[in-house]
Amino acid sequence: MSELNLILLGPPGAGKGTQAERLRADFDVPYYAMGDILRAAVKEGTELGREAKEYMDRGDLVPDDLVCRVIVDRVDSAEARDGFVLDGFPRTVAQADALAGAVASLGRRLTAALSIEAPDEDVIRRLSGRRMCDKNGHVYHVEFDPPKNEGFCDQDGSVLVQREDDREETVRHRLEVFHDQTKPLIDYYARQGLLRRFDGTRAPEEVHGHIRATLATLRLEEEL
Ligand code: AMP
């Protein structure tokens, strides 16, 4: 496969970020996580960050025009020439259309949309127990992956905090937003023959194995 242009779909907390990290290690393509890009913008106090913050804190989506611009620039950058992994984008049909336009204008096409799926109750349990280190974003879970010293990062000793939008009420709202605005993309990509589905309740290694097998099959099909 000459290029690997992948998007990751799925509810918040399904494990998209974990799988994206692994794909990045496997394929050496840049990884663009919209949520990370926006959180960095908020931290730096850029115009994008100032505009995005209130939506993010409420668990609402940031307006399409703001996020589309960011991703279209990334997809069109030199480092993404051989492909990219997008996590958390697109999240609406308008975003998916904008991405399709950007990819087509470069004479390229998407390789696959990987949908990592998990029931709402699992997502709520995973996200409401998630803690992140303040300094470098290392991720823990109070129940499933606790740090050695409660409240502090094993890797850099900085304090662990809960993301504003990981509080249970906000997680429930993010899930509603996912069902209303992002789930239609499952059909959108299925119609285009790009959708591949994975069970996000499985262990991360297992999900990763399934994704690799799927990508290997796609590569074989492309060579036929
Ligand atoms: P995430 O870390 O992917 O869960 O994203 C955190 C928050 O960033 C979301 O709840 C939204 O407020 C915002 N966000 C991330 N990606 C998008 C997107 N594609 N469109 C709009 N808002 C987004």
Side-chain angles (χ1 to χ4, degrees):
M1 201 155 16
S2 41
E3 286 169 19
L4 198 69
N5 303 322
L6 293 176
I7 62 178
L8 287 163
L9 291 176
K16 300 188 297 293
T18 306
Q19 295 305 324
E21 285 293 335
R22 289 167 191 238
L23 289 171
R24 184 159 64 153
D26 290 342
F27 296 107
D28 192 30
V29 287
Y31 160 53
Y32 303 124
M34 196 64 225
D36 290 350
I37 293 171
L38 291 171
R39 277 185 291 281
V42 170
K43 215 166 180 180
E44 285 162 23
T46 64
E47 198 187 329
L48 171 67
R50 285 198 302 276
E51 291 189 63
K53 187 174 186 319
E54 55 171 310
Y55 297 96
M56 295 173 73
D57 284 349
R58 283 200 305 266
D60 283 326
L61 294 184
V62 174
D64 286 332
D65 56 328
L66 291 180
V67 291
C68 286
R69 245 182 293 152
V70 173
I71 286 297
V72 168
D73 283 352
R74 298 287 204 289
V75 166
D76 193 13
S77 68
E79 64 171 14
R81 215 179 28 214
D82 296 330
F84 51 78
V85 178
L86 298 185
D87 170 3
F89 188 99
R91 263 170 146 121
T92 64
V93 171
Q95 292 178 17
D97 286 340
L99 177 64
V103 169
S105 74
L106 296 168
R108 291 162 58 174
R109 60 188 183 81
L110 290 179
T111 310
L114 311 176
S115 170
I116 305 183
E117 304 180 355
D120 287 3
E121 288 312 312
D122 285 37
V123 163
I124 291 164
R125 198 150 162 229
R126 285 186 191 183
L127 291 188
S128 55
R130 181 162 75 172
R131 300 290 180 272
M132 272 180 154
C133 98
D134 205 21
K135 209 160 153 199
N136 295 306
H138 297 123
V139 181
Y140 298 84
H141 192 282
V142 291
E143 194 182 339
F144 309 130
D145 182 21
K148 290 194 190 76
N149 283 324
E150 197 185 322
F152 295 96
C153 180
D154 291 346
Q155 297 189 56
D156 56 32
S158 64
V159 66
L160 299 183
V161 293
Q162 183 176 41
R163 262 168 59 174
E164 185 70 23
D165 59 352
D166 279 347
R167 285 176 309 135
E168 187 171 332
E169 324 79 77
T170 316
V171 170
R172 287 186 188 277
H173 181 60
R174 287 163 70 196
L175 273 168
E176 276 168 29
V177 170
F178 170 75
H179 288 294
D180 285 354
Q181 304 197 50
T182 309
K183 247 192 163 169
L185 295 183
I186 305 264
D187 282 342
Y188 179 103
Y189 287 114
R191 280 196 299 275
Q192 298 178 24
L194 290 172
L195 188 73
R196 299 291 182 277
R197 306 176 85 151
F198 301 91
D199 180 356
T201 64
R202 306 265 171 173
E205 306 77 63
E206 211 179 321
V207 179
H208 177 228
H210 290 161
I211 293 177
R212 283 193 63 112
T214 299
L215 295 178
T217 308
L218 285 175
R219 177 175 278 167
L220 278 176
E221 286 169 359
E222 196 160 89
E223 281 170 6
L224 288 177

